[in-house]
Amino acid sequence: MLRENVLNRTIELIGEQYLFPDIASKLIQCLRINIPAYLSLNTDEAFASAITRDMFDVAHDIHLTLTPRHPNDTERTPPLIADGRFLNHNIAIVTITRFPSVQNGRGVEAMHEISDAFMFVTEARGVIIDVRDNPGGDGSSVALATSYLVPPEPQLLARYHMRGNDTPGENWTWEKLPHEVNRPYRPLANKSVCVLVSKNTFSAAEEFAYNLQQMKRATIIGERTKGGAHPSKRHLIEDAFVLSLPF
């Protein structure tokens, strides 16, 4: 019964929210046809993996996944969001491990961690930003991190078109940063910047690197990135599985 409920809710959410309605219809058809095969699998991991594989075969969207929720998922202590340190020759490196929302309950904490990392390296001759193992996150902290590297005049970074909303969302650099009180202070805005990427750089981390490249603000160094362009939301289903769903 649990897995049937998970399948039904997954199908329902895809039909209501997946960003491409025509592909949503194909996804639903695929999932319904394969319900007996999914329900015959022995483990939750095999069940979720089979559904994820079939959804990818239809949509070719690596943001679209179903995974089991493990009880200790929320108990793990996450690494620092961002950390700055100096290398030789007065070159600094800022490692950004993820891009969390700065608009939710822990937004202030995220803001301060990102701010502290960049402000620690303001005296550097040049800055390396490492997002090689960054799985992405939210555009709000992408905009915040980018803002430390550009002048204070707001710049448009991205425009988002979402299903069911005719008005596109926009992501801009910040006119005023957390540490700025009386006047703008962007000592890194005229420093040389390079961004390290890898095959594990995903989603919002790819947006971060792409934005800086398109603004001609940074040199990008590394492997081809993973390839995820859609904003997505995580849905907890039956307190047992998590559906990552682009919208």
Side-chain angles (χ1 to χ4, degrees), residues 6 10 43-53 55 62-70 73 233-245:
V6 169
T10 296
T43 66
D44 288 345
E45 286 76 11
F47 170 76
S49 178
I51 292 171
T52 296
R53 183 184 63 246
M55 292 193 299
I62 54 179
H63 269 117
L64 181 59
T65 61
L66 183 72
T67 53
R69 177 180 180 270
H70 298 289
D73 281 352
K233 182 177 180 180
R234 290 165 61 86
H235 299 267
L236 181 60
I237 303 177
E238 294 288 322
D239 205 36
F241 290 84
V242 177
L243 175 67
S244 172
L245 183 62

Side-chain angles (χ1 to χ4, degrees), residues 13-230:
L13 286 167
I14 288 172
E16 292 173 350
Q17 298 185 26
Y18 188 67
L19 75 165
F20 299 121
D22 55 335
I23 297 179
S25 298
K26 295 177 182 178
L27 285 164
I28 290 170
Q29 182 181 24
C30 173
L31 294 177
R32 284 179 172 160
I33 288 172
N34 288 294
I35 285 176
Y38 300 144
L39 296 179
S40 70
L41 295 169
N42 292 327
T43 66
D44 288 345
E45 286 76 11
F47 170 76
S49 178
I51 292 171
T52 296
R53 183 184 63 246
D54 286 348
M55 292 193 299
F56 179 80
D57 287 344
V58 173
H60 303 288
D61 186 342
I62 54 179
H63 269 117
L64 181 59
T65 61
L66 183 72
T67 53
R69 177 180 180 270
H70 298 289
N72 61 352
D73 281 352
T74 58
E75 297 172 6
R76 297 171 184 164
T77 302
L80 279 174
I81 296 165
D83 181 51
R85 60 190 175 90
F86 279 87
L87 306 174
N88 295 331
H89 309 294
N90 201 32
I91 300 298
I93 184 166
V94 174
T95 301
I96 306 177
T97 62
R98 62 195 185 281
F99 284 104
S101 173
V102 297
Q103 299 169 335
N104 61 19
R106 299 187 64 182
V108 173
E109 179 183 340
M111 246 188 287
H112 284 302
E113 280 195 36
I114 292 170
S115 179
D116 289 348
F118 280 104
M119 294 305 294
F120 181 75
V121 302
T122 54
E123 299 301 319
R125 185 164 59 92
V127 181
I128 301 166
I129 302 175
D130 188 352
V131 292
R132 287 176 295 178
D133 292 312
N134 188 316
D138 190 82
S140 60
S141 55
V142 169
L144 173 61
T146 304
S147 300
Y148 284 90
L149 306 172
V150 298
E153 296 77 17
Q155 300 183 52
L156 179 63
L157 298 176
R159 183 172 284 119
Y160 305 101
H161 295 271
M162 299 179 184
R163 180 174 172 181
N165 189 345
D166 294 332
T167 303
E170 294 182 340
N171 202 20
W172 293 76
T173 58
W174 291 31
E175 185 173 11
K176 183 177 181 180
L177 291 170
H179 69 275
E180 295 174 333
V181 180
N182 297 319
R183 61 183 177 83
Y185 179 63
R186 311 276 174 108
L188 297 177
N190 61 355
K191 304 288 179 73
S192 296
V193 177
C194 74
V195 179
L196 304 181
V197 298
S198 78
K199 62 184 179 181
N200 297 319
T201 304
F202 186 51
S203 193
E206 293 176 281
E207 179 192 344
F208 174 74
Y210 175 81
N211 288 343
L212 291 173
Q213 183 181 52
Q214 292 303 302
M215 297 162 76
K216 296 181 170 49
R217 184 61 192 90
T219 300
I220 312 302
I221 300 174
E223 302 171 283
R224 182 172 180 171
T225 56
K226 196 170 183 178
H230 304 140

